[in-house]
Amino acid sequence: MNFLRELKYTAISMISTVQGMFWTVAYPILLSSLFFVIFSAISTRGLSTAINTGVTKTNPHRVILNFIPIVHVISMEQDAADAALREGSIQVFIADDLSIRIYKDGTAQTIVKNIVEQIKQTDALGIPITPSVYRKRFIDSKDEQNNSMMILFYSLLAMVSIYSMFGAISIPERMQANISKLAVRMSAAPIKRFRLYLSGVLFFVCFNLASNLLYIGYVMLVLKLNLITDFAVTVPLLIYANLFGTAFGLCIGSIPKLTENTKVMIGVFSSLFLSFLSGMMSVSVKTALDASVPILSKINPIALFTDTLYNINILHEYDSASLFFIVYSGFIALFLSIAFFNAREVQYDSL
């Protein structure tokens, strides 16, 4: 009953904290929404339909243009081209002499310009232009299991999976007598400190894990992205990552000469920096680091978790899971050892 009571008080203190609720619950949902909006806008810049191109009936290259799949030829008189360009009914007009008119720049206009330049060069070389040349496919399309955008969402999940550290930072604040007056009173009280530590660790791991699952549910059900394909393996990895975050929070929280706000800032900036290296802000950063310093992705816990999530849920490869548990176990042991020595190294003449 005492253990459940401690668990209850820990839950109340966490839920009543605006800072803790924001970082663990609201922040990942807000950031994932921002990622989705940005990358949805980028993806819609591509061409999904043929380019409406105005051509006169007397244009000598009209037959060739009709055989190019990306060009949708629309017959019109040259005098009507300017009005059609302004209205947007056509994007480019090709005159009989292969000069082009446009109303605004864009990808479609650049593509048509390159096609016209190719026709001009072929004419200049005296090579007969045949429709088959422009219909030929030089690149075969194949399905690839690759999605660079998903790396951002996996990196964000890896980052927020260690956010149990924010709650764990407060545990030494209540238990370590050389940090706060409340901890002085708790140390003098006839209670078992191990039980308090255990109740705090258990709650923050479970609470942050629930927040991680909420984030996954939001991405999959609301944003309609297939983030997780193997829950049976991903959930144990998330639990272990939350244990890592709790151990990291205990380590930071046990440092006696820092204020609580400073400890929180250390947790924020360290997680953001490691996430930046794992490719959350730009996939090119991760690619460059993997090429130049490959060992960094093996010891950076967030980068390692990002790779593991991607391999399991996109590539369906499970070899990196063993490395994940080895590296995380080493960090957990290190952080808990530091927290233990910080809590035990000071002897008090009087409380």
mmCIF file with all atom_site columns, all heavy atoms in Angstrom, residues 1-17 170 174 186 191 195-196 199-200 203-204:
data_model
loop_
_atom_site.group_PDB
_atom_site.id
_atom_site.type_symbol
_atom_site.label_atom_id
_atom_site.label_alt_id
_atom_site.label_comp_id
_atom_site.label_asym_id
_atom_site.label_entity_id
_atom_site.label_seq_id
_atom_site.pdbx_PDB_ins_code
_atom_site.Cartn_x
_atom_site.Cartn_y
_atom_site.Cartn_z
_atom_site.occupancy
_atom_site.B_iso_or_equiv
_atom_site.pdbx_formal_charge
_atom_site.auth_seq_id
_atom_site.auth_comp_id
_atom_site.auth_asym_id
_atom_site.auth_atom_id
_atom_site.pdbx_PDB_model_num
ATOM 1   N N   . MET A 1 1   ? 0.834  -1.208 0.000   1.00 0.00 ? 1   MET A N   1
ATOM 2   C CA  . MET A 1 1   ? 0.000  0.000  0.000   1.00 0.00 ? 1   MET A CA  1
ATOM 3   C C   . MET A 1 1   ? 0.868  1.257  0.000   1.00 0.00 ? 1   MET A C   1
ATOM 4   O O   . MET A 1 1   ? 0.554  2.237  -0.666  1.00 0.00 ? 1   MET A O   1
ATOM 5   C CB  . MET A 1 1   ? -0.924 -0.006 1.220   1.00 0.00 ? 1   MET A CB  1
ATOM 6   C CG  . MET A 1 1   ? -1.995 -1.088 1.157   1.00 0.00 ? 1   MET A CG  1
ATOM 7   S SD  . MET A 1 1   ? -3.092 -0.893 -0.279  1.00 0.00 ? 1   MET A SD  1
ATOM 8   C CE  . MET A 1 1   ? -3.890 0.636  0.146   1.00 0.00 ? 1   MET A CE  1
ATOM 9   N N   . ASN A 1 2   ? 1.998  1.243  0.772   1.00 0.00 ? 2   ASN A N   1
ATOM 10  C CA  . ASN A 1 2   ? 2.868  2.409  0.802   1.00 0.00 ? 2   ASN A CA  1
ATOM 11  C C   . ASN A 1 2   ? 3.470  2.673  -0.573  1.00 0.00 ? 2   ASN A C   1
ATOM 12  O O   . ASN A 1 2   ? 3.630  3.817  -0.975  1.00 0.00 ? 2   ASN A O   1
ATOM 13  C CB  . ASN A 1 2   ? 3.981  2.200  1.836   1.00 0.00 ? 2   ASN A CB  1
ATOM 14  C CG  . ASN A 1 2   ? 3.442  2.221  3.257   1.00 0.00 ? 2   ASN A CG  1
ATOM 15  O OD1 . ASN A 1 2   ? 2.439  2.879  3.520   1.00 0.00 ? 2   ASN A OD1 1
ATOM 16  N ND2 . ASN A 1 2   ? 4.099  1.510  4.161   1.00 0.00 ? 2   ASN A ND2 1
ATOM 17  N N   . PHE A 1 3   ? 3.816  1.598  -1.273  1.00 0.00 ? 3   PHE A N   1
ATOM 18  C CA  . PHE A 1 3   ? 4.387  1.744  -2.616  1.00 0.00 ? 3   PHE A CA  1
ATOM 19  C C   . PHE A 1 3   ? 3.369  2.379  -3.561  1.00 0.00 ? 3   PHE A C   1
ATOM 20  O O   . PHE A 1 3   ? 3.697  3.267  -4.344  1.00 0.00 ? 3   PHE A O   1
ATOM 21  C CB  . PHE A 1 3   ? 4.833  0.381  -3.140  1.00 0.00 ? 3   PHE A CB  1
ATOM 22  C CG  . PHE A 1 3   ? 5.390  0.420  -4.529  1.00 0.00 ? 3   PHE A CG  1
ATOM 23  C CD1 . PHE A 1 3   ? 6.698  0.819  -4.754  1.00 0.00 ? 3   PHE A CD1 1
ATOM 24  C CD2 . PHE A 1 3   ? 4.604  0.078  -5.626  1.00 0.00 ? 3   PHE A CD2 1
ATOM 25  C CE1 . PHE A 1 3   ? 7.219  0.862  -6.039  1.00 0.00 ? 3   PHE A CE1 1
ATOM 26  C CE2 . PHE A 1 3   ? 5.116  0.121  -6.912  1.00 0.00 ? 3   PHE A CE2 1
ATOM 27  C CZ  . PHE A 1 3   ? 6.431  0.518  -7.115  1.00 0.00 ? 3   PHE A CZ  1
ATOM 28  N N   . LEU A 1 4   ? 2.112  1.929  -3.474  1.00 0.00 ? 4   LEU A N   1
ATOM 29  C CA  . LEU A 1 4   ? 1.069  2.492  -4.333  1.00 0.00 ? 4   LEU A CA  1
ATOM 30  C C   . LEU A 1 4   ? 0.807  3.949  -3.991  1.00 0.00 ? 4   LEU A C   1
ATOM 31  O O   . LEU A 1 4   ? 0.520  4.763  -4.874  1.00 0.00 ? 4   LEU A O   1
ATOM 32  C CB  . LEU A 1 4   ? -0.215 1.677  -4.189  1.00 0.00 ? 4   LEU A CB  1
ATOM 33  C CG  . LEU A 1 4   ? -0.164 0.238  -4.705  1.00 0.00 ? 4   LEU A CG  1
ATOM 34  C CD1 . LEU A 1 4   ? -1.485 -0.461 -4.440  1.00 0.00 ? 4   LEU A CD1 1
ATOM 35  C CD2 . LEU A 1 4   ? 0.173  0.206  -6.192  1.00 0.00 ? 4   LEU A CD2 1
ATOM 36  N N   . ARG A 1 5   ? 0.921  4.289  -2.720  1.00 0.00 ? 5   ARG A N   1
ATOM 37  C CA  . ARG A 1 5   ? 0.728  5.679  -2.308  1.00 0.00 ? 5   ARG A CA  1
ATOM 38  C C   . ARG A 1 5   ? 1.828  6.571  -2.878  1.00 0.00 ? 5   ARG A C   1
ATOM 39  O O   . ARG A 1 5   ? 1.553  7.667  -3.376  1.00 0.00 ? 5   ARG A O   1
ATOM 40  C CB  . ARG A 1 5   ? 0.706  5.775  -0.790  1.00 0.00 ? 5   ARG A CB  1
ATOM 41  C CG  . ARG A 1 5   ? 0.383  7.187  -0.282  1.00 0.00 ? 5   ARG A CG  1
ATOM 42  C CD  . ARG A 1 5   ? 0.292  7.196  1.226   1.00 0.00 ? 5   ARG A CD  1
ATOM 43  N NE  . ARG A 1 5   ? 1.558  6.783  1.817   1.00 0.00 ? 5   ARG A NE  1
ATOM 44  C CZ  . ARG A 1 5   ? 1.671  6.134  2.977   1.00 0.00 ? 5   ARG A CZ  1
ATOM 45  N NH1 . ARG A 1 5   ? 0.582  5.794  3.648   1.00 0.00 ? 5   ARG A NH1 1
ATOM 46  N NH2 . ARG A 1 5   ? 2.853  5.814  3.463   1.00 0.00 ? 5   ARG A NH2 1
ATOM 47  N N   . GLU A 1 6   ? 3.060  6.084  -2.833  1.00 0.00 ? 6   GLU A N   1
ATOM 48  C CA  . GLU A 1 6   ? 4.163  6.849  -3.412  1.00 0.00 ? 6   GLU A CA  1
ATOM 49  C C   . GLU A 1 6   ? 3.980  7.004  -4.919  1.00 0.00 ? 6   GLU A C   1
ATOM 50  O O   . GLU A 1 6   ? 4.268  8.056  -5.496  1.00 0.00 ? 6   GLU A O   1
ATOM 51  C CB  . GLU A 1 6   ? 5.501  6.157  -3.110  1.00 0.00 ? 6   GLU A CB  1
ATOM 52  C CG  . GLU A 1 6   ? 5.853  6.066  -1.631  1.00 0.00 ? 6   GLU A CG  1
ATOM 53  C CD  . GLU A 1 6   ? 5.987  7.434  -0.993  1.00 0.00 ? 6   GLU A CD  1
ATOM 54  O OE1 . GLU A 1 6   ? 6.262  8.411  -1.737  1.00 0.00 ? 6   GLU A OE1 1
ATOM 55  O OE2 . GLU A 1 6   ? 5.816  7.546  0.232   1.00 0.00 ? 6   GLU A OE2 1
ATOM 56  N N   . LEU A 1 7   ? 3.486  5.942  -5.551  1.00 0.00 ? 7   LEU A N   1
ATOM 57  C CA  . LEU A 1 7   ? 3.226  5.995  -6.992  1.00 0.00 ? 7   LEU A CA  1
ATOM 58  C C   . LEU A 1 7   ? 2.156  7.034  -7.304  1.00 0.00 ? 7   LEU A C   1
ATOM 59  O O   . LEU A 1 7   ? 2.247  7.783  -8.291  1.00 0.00 ? 7   LEU A O   1
ATOM 60  C CB  . LEU A 1 7   ? 2.798  4.609  -7.480  1.00 0.00 ? 7   LEU A CB  1
ATOM 61  C CG  . LEU A 1 7   ? 2.949  4.306  -8.973  1.00 0.00 ? 7   LEU A CG  1
ATOM 62  C CD1 . LEU A 1 7   ? 4.397  4.373  -9.398  1.00 0.00 ? 7   LEU A CD1 1
ATOM 63  C CD2 . LEU A 1 7   ? 2.380  2.930  -9.282  1.00 0.00 ? 7   LEU A CD2 1
ATOM 64  N N   . LYS A 1 8   ? 1.154  7.102  -6.460  1.00 0.00 ? 8   LYS A N   1
ATOM 65  C CA  . LYS A 1 8   ? 0.065  8.066  -6.635  1.00 0.00 ? 8   LYS A CA  1
ATOM 66  C C   . LYS A 1 8   ? 0.581  9.496  -6.509  1.00 0.00 ? 8   LYS A C   1
ATOM 67  O O   . LYS A 1 8   ? 0.265  10.357 -7.347  1.00 0.00 ? 8   LYS A O   1
ATOM 68  C CB  . LYS A 1 8   ? -1.018 7.790  -5.588  1.00 0.00 ? 8   LYS A CB  1
ATOM 69  C CG  . LYS A 1 8   ? -2.101 8.865  -5.532  1.00 0.00 ? 8   LYS A CG  1
ATOM 70  C CD  . LYS A 1 8   ? -3.046 8.600  -4.371  1.00 0.00 ? 8   LYS A CD  1
ATOM 71  C CE  . LYS A 1 8   ? -4.010 9.767  -4.201  1.00 0.00 ? 8   LYS A CE  1
ATOM 72  N NZ  . LYS A 1 8   ? -4.908 9.542  -3.028  1.00 0.00 ? 8   LYS A NZ  1
ATOM 73  N N   . TYR A 1 9   ? 1.383  9.782  -5.477  1.00 0.00 ? 9   TYR A N   1
ATOM 74  C CA  . TYR A 1 9   ? 1.904  11.130 -5.279  1.00 0.00 ? 9   TYR A CA  1
ATOM 75  C C   . TYR A 1 9   ? 2.842  11.540 -6.418  1.00 0.00 ? 9   TYR A C   1
ATOM 76  O O   . TYR A 1 9   ? 2.865  12.696 -6.840  1.00 0.00 ? 9   TYR A O   1
ATOM 77  C CB  . TYR A 1 9   ? 2.635  11.228 -3.937  1.00 0.00 ? 9   TYR A CB  1
ATOM 78  C CG  . TYR A 1 9   ? 1.708  11.124 -2.742  1.00 0.00 ? 9   TYR A CG  1
ATOM 79  C CD1 . TYR A 1 9   ? 2.128  10.567 -1.537  1.00 0.00 ? 9   TYR A CD1 1
ATOM 80  C CD2 . TYR A 1 9   ? 0.401  11.597 -2.811  1.00 0.00 ? 9   TYR A CD2 1
ATOM 81  C CE1 . TYR A 1 9   ? 1.286  10.472 -0.444  1.00 0.00 ? 9   TYR A CE1 1
ATOM 82  C CE2 . TYR A 1 9   ? -0.463 11.500 -1.729  1.00 0.00 ? 9   TYR A CE2 1
ATOM 83  C CZ  . TYR A 1 9   ? -0.012 10.939 -0.543  1.00 0.00 ? 9   TYR A CZ  1
ATOM 84  O OH  . TYR A 1 9   ? -0.863 10.840 0.531   1.00 0.00 ? 9   TYR A OH  1
ATOM 85  N N   . THR A 1 10  ? 3.617  10.586 -6.908  1.00 0.00 ? 10  THR A N   1
ATOM 86  C CA  . THR A 1 10  ? 4.505  10.875 -8.040  1.00 0.00 ? 10  THR A CA  1
ATOM 87  C C   . THR A 1 10  ? 3.691  11.230 -9.277  1.00 0.00 ? 10  THR A C   1
ATOM 88  O O   . THR A 1 10  ? 4.033  12.159 -10.025 1.00 0.00 ? 10  THR A O   1
ATOM 89  C CB  . THR A 1 10  ? 5.407  9.662  -8.345  1.00 0.00 ? 10  THR A CB  1
ATOM 90  O OG1 . THR A 1 10  ? 6.145  9.309  -7.169  1.00 0.00 ? 10  THR A OG1 1
ATOM 91  C CG2 . THR A 1 10  ? 6.378  9.978  -9.475  1.00 0.00 ? 10  THR A CG2 1
ATOM 92  N N   . ALA A 1 11  ? 2.600  10.496 -9.500  1.00 0.00 ? 11  ALA A N   1
ATOM 93  C CA  . ALA A 1 11  ? 1.739  10.759 -10.657 1.00 0.00 ? 11  ALA A CA  1
ATOM 94  C C   . ALA A 1 11  ? 1.103  12.138 -10.554 1.00 0.00 ? 11  ALA A C   1
ATOM 95  O O   . ALA A 1 11  ? 1.046  12.887 -11.536 1.00 0.00 ? 11  ALA A O   1
ATOM 96  C CB  . ALA A 1 11  ? 0.661  9.676  -10.749 1.00 0.00 ? 11  ALA A CB  1
ATOM 97  N N   . ILE A 1 12  ? 0.644  12.502 -9.359  1.00 0.00 ? 12  ILE A N   1
ATOM 98  C CA  . ILE A 1 12  ? 0.002  13.808 -9.168  1.00 0.00 ? 12  ILE A CA  1
ATOM 99  C C   . ILE A 1 12  ? 0.995  14.933 -9.419  1.00 0.00 ? 12  ILE A C   1
ATOM 100 O O   . ILE A 1 12  ? 0.692  15.921 -10.087 1.00 0.00 ? 12  ILE A O   1
ATOM 101 C CB  . ILE A 1 12  ? -0.592 13.913 -7.754  1.00 0.00 ? 12  ILE A CB  1
ATOM 102 C CG1 . ILE A 1 12  ? -1.774 12.932 -7.594  1.00 0.00 ? 12  ILE A CG1 1
ATOM 103 C CG2 . ILE A 1 12  ? -1.039 15.342 -7.460  1.00 0.00 ? 12  ILE A CG2 1
ATOM 104 C CD1 . ILE A 1 12  ? -2.323 12.857 -6.191  1.00 0.00 ? 12  ILE A CD1 1
ATOM 105 N N   . SER A 1 13  ? 2.214  14.774 -8.904  1.00 0.00 ? 13  SER A N   1
ATOM 106 C CA  . SER A 1 13  ? 3.224  15.819 -9.087  1.00 0.00 ? 13  SER A CA  1
ATOM 107 C C   . SER A 1 13  ? 3.613  15.976 -10.542 1.00 0.00 ? 13  SER A C   1
ATOM 108 O O   . SER A 1 13  ? 3.898  17.086 -11.009 1.00 0.00 ? 13  SER A O   1
ATOM 109 C CB  . SER A 1 13  ? 4.467  15.512 -8.247  1.00 0.00 ? 13  SER A CB  1
ATOM 110 O OG  . SER A 1 13  ? 5.072  14.304 -8.683  1.00 0.00 ? 13  SER A OG  1
ATOM 111 N N   . MET A 1 14  ? 3.615  14.882 -11.312 1.00 0.00 ? 14  MET A N   1
ATOM 112 C CA  . MET A 1 14  ? 3.992  14.946 -12.718 1.00 0.00 ? 14  MET A CA  1
ATOM 113 C C   . MET A 1 14  ? 2.872  15.569 -13.559 1.00 0.00 ? 14  MET A C   1
ATOM 114 O O   . MET A 1 14  ? 3.106  16.457 -14.382 1.00 0.00 ? 14  MET A O   1
ATOM 115 C CB  . MET A 1 14  ? 4.308  13.545 -13.238 1.00 0.00 ? 14  MET A CB  1
ATOM 116 C CG  . MET A 1 14  ? 4.623  13.473 -14.727 1.00 0.00 ? 14  MET A CG  1
ATOM 117 S SD  . MET A 1 14  ? 6.127  14.399 -15.127 1.00 0.00 ? 14  MET A SD  1
ATOM 118 C CE  . MET A 1 14  ? 6.164  14.163 -16.911 1.00 0.00 ? 14  MET A CE  1
ATOM 119 N N   . ILE A 1 15  ? 1.657  15.103 -13.347 1.00 0.00 ? 15  ILE A N   1
ATOM 120 C CA  . ILE A 1 15  ? 0.533  15.571 -14.148 1.00 0.00 ? 15  ILE A CA  1
ATOM 121 C C   . ILE A 1 15  ? 0.231  17.044 -13.887 1.00 0.00 ? 15  ILE A C   1
ATOM 122 O O   . ILE A 1 15  ? -0.208 17.766 -14.780 1.00 0.00 ? 15  ILE A O   1
ATOM 123 C CB  . ILE A 1 15  ? -0.710 14.695 -13.872 1.00 0.00 ? 15  ILE A CB  1
ATOM 124 C CG1 . ILE A 1 15  ? -0.448 13.253 -14.359 1.00 0.00 ? 15  ILE A CG1 1
ATOM 125 C CG2 . ILE A 1 15  ? -1.941 15.257 -14.551 1.00 0.00 ? 15  ILE A CG2 1
ATOM 126 C CD1 . ILE A 1 15  ? -1.536 12.284 -13.991 1.00 0.00 ? 15  ILE A CD1 1
ATOM 127 N N   . SER A 1 16  ? 0.490  17.502 -12.685 1.00 0.00 ? 16  SER A N   1
ATOM 128 C CA  . SER A 1 16  ? 0.216  18.910 -12.352 1.00 0.00 ? 16  SER A CA  1
ATOM 129 C C   . SER A 1 16  ? 1.309  19.846 -12.848 1.00 0.00 ? 16  SER A C   1
ATOM 130 O O   . SER A 1 16  ? 1.173  21.070 -12.729 1.00 0.00 ? 16  SER A O   1
ATOM 131 C CB  . SER A 1 16  ? 0.069  19.063 -10.837 1.00 0.00 ? 16  SER A CB  1
ATOM 132 O OG  . SER A 1 16  ? 1.267  18.682 -10.169 1.00 0.00 ? 16  SER A OG  1
ATOM 133 N N   . THR A 1 17  ? 2.379  19.308 -13.417 1.00 0.00 ? 17  THR A N   1
ATOM 134 C CA  . THR A 1 17  ? 3.473  20.131 -13.918 1.00 0.00 ? 17  THR A CA  1
ATOM 135 C C   . THR A 1 17  ? 3.266  20.423 -15.396 1.00 0.00 ? 17  THR A C   1
ATOM 136 O O   . THR A 1 17  ? 3.251  19.508 -16.218 1.00 0.00 ? 17  THR A O   1
ATOM 137 C CB  . THR A 1 17  ? 4.828  19.431 -13.714 1.00 0.00 ? 17  THR A CB  1
ATOM 138 O OG1 . THR A 1 17  ? 4.986  19.102 -12.338 1.00 0.00 ? 17  THR A OG1 1
ATOM 139 C CG2 . THR A 1 17  ? 5.973  20.332 -14.142 1.00 0.00 ? 17  THR A CG2 1
ATOM 140 N N   . SER A 1 170 ? 13.547 14.942 -11.221 1.00 0.00 ? 170 SER A N   1
ATOM 141 C CA  . SER A 1 170 ? 12.972 15.409 -9.956  1.00 0.00 ? 170 SER A CA  1
ATOM 142 C C   . SER A 1 170 ? 13.131 14.397 -8.820  1.00 0.00 ? 170 SER A C   1
ATOM 143 O O   . SER A 1 170 ? 12.937 14.755 -7.659  1.00 0.00 ? 170 SER A O   1
ATOM 144 C CB  . SER A 1 170 ? 11.484 15.721 -10.146 1.00 0.00 ? 170 SER A CB  1
ATOM 145 O OG  . SER A 1 170 ? 10.759 14.535 -10.471 1.00 0.00 ? 170 SER A OG  1
ATOM 146 N N   . ARG A 1 174 ? 14.033 15.144 -4.455  1.00 0.00 ? 174 ARG A N   1
ATOM 147 C CA  . ARG A 1 174 ? 13.237 14.798 -3.268  1.00 0.00 ? 174 ARG A CA  1
ATOM 148 C C   . ARG A 1 174 ? 13.953 13.834 -2.342  1.00 0.00 ? 174 ARG A C   1
ATOM 149 O O   . ARG A 1 174 ? 13.529 13.650 -1.206  1.00 0.00 ? 174 ARG A O   1
ATOM 150 C CB  . ARG A 1 174 ? 11.910 14.182 -3.699  1.00 0.00 ? 174 ARG A CB  1
ATOM 151 C CG  . ARG A 1 174 ? 10.969 15.149 -4.410  1.00 0.00 ? 174 ARG A CG  1
ATOM 152 C CD  . ARG A 1 174 ? 9.683  14.466 -4.790  1.00 0.00 ? 174 ARG A CD  1
ATOM 153 N NE  . ARG A 1 174 ? 9.893  13.434 -5.804  1.00 0.00 ? 174 ARG A NE  1
ATOM 154 C CZ  . ARG A 1 174 ? 9.187  12.323 -5.899  1.00 0.00 ? 174 ARG A CZ  1
ATOM 155 N NH1 . ARG A 1 174 ? 8.243  12.073 -5.023  1.00 0.00 ? 174 ARG A NH1 1
ATOM 156 N NH2 . ARG A 1 174 ? 9.429  11.455 -6.860  1.00 0.00 ? 174 ARG A NH2 1
ATOM 157 N N   . MET A 1 186 ? 13.130 14.288 3.904   1.00 0.00 ? 186 MET A N   1
ATOM 158 C CA  . MET A 1 186 ? 12.871 12.911 3.483   1.00 0.00 ? 186 MET A CA  1
ATOM 159 C C   . MET A 1 186 ? 13.957 11.967 3.990   1.00 0.00 ? 186 MET A C   1
ATOM 160 O O   . MET A 1 186 ? 13.674 10.820 4.359   1.00 0.00 ? 186 MET A O   1
ATOM 161 C CB  . MET A 1 186 ? 12.794 12.845 1.957   1.00 0.00 ? 186 MET A CB  1
ATOM 162 C CG  . MET A 1 186 ? 11.639 13.637 1.350   1.00 0.00 ? 186 MET A CG  1
ATOM 163 S SD  . MET A 1 186 ? 10.018 12.937 1.711   1.00 0.00 ? 186 MET A SD  1
ATOM 164 C CE  . MET A 1 186 ? 10.033 11.504 0.653   1.00 0.00 ? 186 MET A CE  1
ATOM 165 N N   . ILE A 1 191 ? 11.605 6.239  6.185   1.00 0.00 ? 191 ILE A N   1
ATOM 166 C CA  . ILE A 1 191 ? 11.065 5.637  4.974   1.00 0.00 ? 191 ILE A CA  1
ATOM 167 C C   . ILE A 1 191 ? 12.186 4.986  4.191   1.00 0.00 ? 191 ILE A C   1
ATOM 168 O O   . ILE A 1 191 ? 13.365 5.305  4.377   1.00 0.00 ? 191 ILE A O   1
ATOM 169 C CB  . ILE A 1 191 ? 10.360 6.701  4.091   1.00 0.00 ? 191 ILE A CB  1
ATOM 170 C CG1 . ILE A 1 191 ? 11.344 7.834  3.742   1.00 0.00 ? 191 ILE A CG1 1
ATOM 171 C CG2 . ILE A 1 191 ? 9.127  7.249  4.767   1.00 0.00 ? 191 ILE A CG2 1
ATOM 172 C CD1 . ILE A 1 191 ? 10.777 8.865  2.809   1.00 0.00 ? 191 ILE A CD1 1
ATOM 173 N N   . ARG A 1 195 ? 12.378 2.387  -2.177  1.00 0.00 ? 195 ARG A N   1
ATOM 174 C CA  . ARG A 1 195 ? 10.995 2.279  -2.614  1.00 0.00 ? 195 ARG A CA  1
ATOM 175 C C   . ARG A 1 195 ? 10.542 3.547  -3.332  1.00 0.00 ? 195 ARG A C   1
ATOM 176 O O   . ARG A 1 195 ? 9.815  3.495  -4.320  1.00 0.00 ? 195 ARG A O   1
ATOM 177 C CB  . ARG A 1 195 ? 10.094 1.998  -1.416  1.00 0.00 ? 195 ARG A CB  1
ATOM 178 C CG  . ARG A 1 195 ? 8.638  1.701  -1.785  1.00 0.00 ? 195 ARG A CG  1
ATOM 179 C CD  . ARG A 1 195 ? 7.860  1.350  -0.536  1.00 0.00 ? 195 ARG A CD  1
ATOM 180 N NE  . ARG A 1 195 ? 7.847  2.461  0.402   1.00 0.00 ? 195 ARG A NE  1
ATOM 181 C CZ  . ARG A 1 195 ? 7.616  2.337  1.707   1.00 0.00 ? 195 ARG A CZ  1
ATOM 182 N NH1 . ARG A 1 195 ? 7.400  1.137  2.213   1.00 0.00 ? 195 ARG A NH1 1
ATOM 183 N NH2 . ARG A 1 195 ? 7.621  3.388  2.501   1.00 0.00 ? 195 ARG A NH2 1
ATOM 184 N N   . LEU A 1 196 ? 11.007 4.694  -2.855  1.00 0.00 ? 196 LEU A N   1
ATOM 185 C CA  . LEU A 1 196 ? 10.680 5.952  -3.505  1.00 0.00 ? 196 LEU A CA  1
ATOM 186 C C   . LEU A 1 196 ? 11.332 6.052  -4.884  1.00 0.00 ? 196 LEU A C   1
ATOM 187 O O   . LEU A 1 196 ? 10.702 6.502  -5.855  1.00 0.00 ? 196 LEU A O   1
ATOM 188 C CB  . LEU A 1 196 ? 11.123 7.120  -2.629  1.00 0.00 ? 196 LEU A CB  1
ATOM 189 C CG  . LEU A 1 196 ? 10.416 7.259  -1.275  1.00 0.00 ? 196 LEU A CG  1
ATOM 190 C CD1 . LEU A 1 196 ? 10.967 8.446  -0.509  1.00 0.00 ? 196 LEU A CD1 1
ATOM 191 C CD2 . LEU A 1 196 ? 8.918  7.420  -1.478  1.00 0.00 ? 196 LEU A CD2 1
ATOM 192 N N   . SER A 1 199 ? 9.410  3.618  -7.203  1.00 0.00 ? 199 SER A N   1
ATOM 193 C CA  . SER A 1 199 ? 8.085  4.097  -7.608  1.00 0.00 ? 199 SER A CA  1
ATOM 194 C C   . SER A 1 199 ? 8.211  5.206  -8.649  1.00 0.00 ? 199 SER A C   1
ATOM 195 O O   . SER A 1 199 ? 7.438  5.273  -9.612  1.00 0.00 ? 199 SER A O   1
ATOM 196 C CB  . SER A 1 199 ? 7.302  4.600  -6.391  1.00 0.00 ? 199 SER A CB  1
ATOM 197 O OG  . SER A 1 199 ? 7.941  5.723  -5.798  1.00 0.00 ? 199 SER A OG  1
ATOM 198 N N   . GLY A 1 200 ? 9.198  6.087  -8.475  1.00 0.00 ? 200 GLY A N   1
ATOM 199 C CA  . GLY A 1 200 ? 9.411  7.157  -9.442  1.00 0.00 ? 200 GLY A CA  1
ATOM 200 C C   . GLY A 1 200 ? 9.834  6.624  -10.797 1.00 0.00 ? 200 GLY A C   1
ATOM 201 O O   . GLY A 1 200 ? 9.312  7.038  -11.833 1.00 0.00 ? 200 GLY A O   1
ATOM 202 N N   . PHE A 1 203 ? 6.854  4.843  -12.529 1.00 0.00 ? 203 PHE A N   1
ATOM 203 C CA  . PHE A 1 203 ? 5.831  5.745  -13.052 1.00 0.00 ? 203 PHE A CA  1
ATOM 204 C C   . PHE A 1 203 ? 6.308  6.475  -14.297 1.00 0.00 ? 203 PHE A C   1
ATOM 205 O O   . PHE A 1 203 ? 5.589  6.540  -15.298 1.00 0.00 ? 203 PHE A O   1
ATOM 206 C CB  . PHE A 1 203 ? 5.412  6.767  -11.994 1.00 0.00 ? 203 PHE A CB  1
ATOM 207 C CG  . PHE A 1 203 ? 4.529  7.849  -12.562 1.00 0.00 ? 203 PHE A CG  1
ATOM 208 C CD1 . PHE A 1 203 ? 3.190  7.595  -12.830 1.00 0.00 ? 203 PHE A CD1 1
ATOM 209 C CD2 . PHE A 1 203 ? 5.051  9.106  -12.872 1.00 0.00 ? 203 PHE A CD2 1
ATOM 210 C CE1 . PHE A 1 203 ? 2.376  8.574  -13.384 1.00 0.00 ? 203 PHE A CE1 1
ATOM 211 C CE2 . PHE A 1 203 ? 4.236  10.086 -13.424 1.00 0.00 ? 203 PHE A CE2 1
ATOM 212 C CZ  . PHE A 1 203 ? 2.905  9.822  -13.678 1.00 0.00 ? 203 PHE A CZ  1
ATOM 213 N N   . PHE A 1 204 ? 7.511  7.039  -14.252 1.00 0.00 ? 204 PHE A N   1
ATOM 214 C CA  . PHE A 1 204 ? 7.977  7.853  -15.379 1.00 0.00 ? 204 PHE A CA  1
ATOM 215 C C   . PHE A 1 204 ? 8.218  7.004  -16.621 1.00 0.00 ? 204 PHE A C   1
ATOM 216 O O   . PHE A 1 204 ? 7.997  7.481  -17.742 1.00 0.00 ? 204 PHE A O   1
ATOM 217 C CB  . PHE A 1 204 ? 9.233  8.620  -14.990 1.00 0.00 ? 204 PHE A CB  1
ATOM 218 C CG  . PHE A 1 204 ? 8.978  9.696  -13.972 1.00 0.00 ? 204 PHE A CG  1
ATOM 219 C CD1 . PHE A 1 204 ? 9.664  9.719  -12.773 1.00 0.00 ? 204 PHE A CD1 1
ATOM 220 C CD2 . PHE A 1 204 ? 8.026  10.678 -14.218 1.00 0.00 ? 204 PHE A CD2 1
ATOM 221 C CE1 . PHE A 1 204 ? 9.425  10.698 -11.836 1.00 0.00 ? 204 PHE A CE1 1
ATOM 222 C CE2 . PHE A 1 204 ? 7.773  11.664 -13.284 1.00 0.00 ? 204 PHE A CE2 1
ATOM 223 C CZ  . PHE A 1 204 ? 8.467  11.673 -12.080 1.00 0.00 ? 204 PHE A CZ  1
#
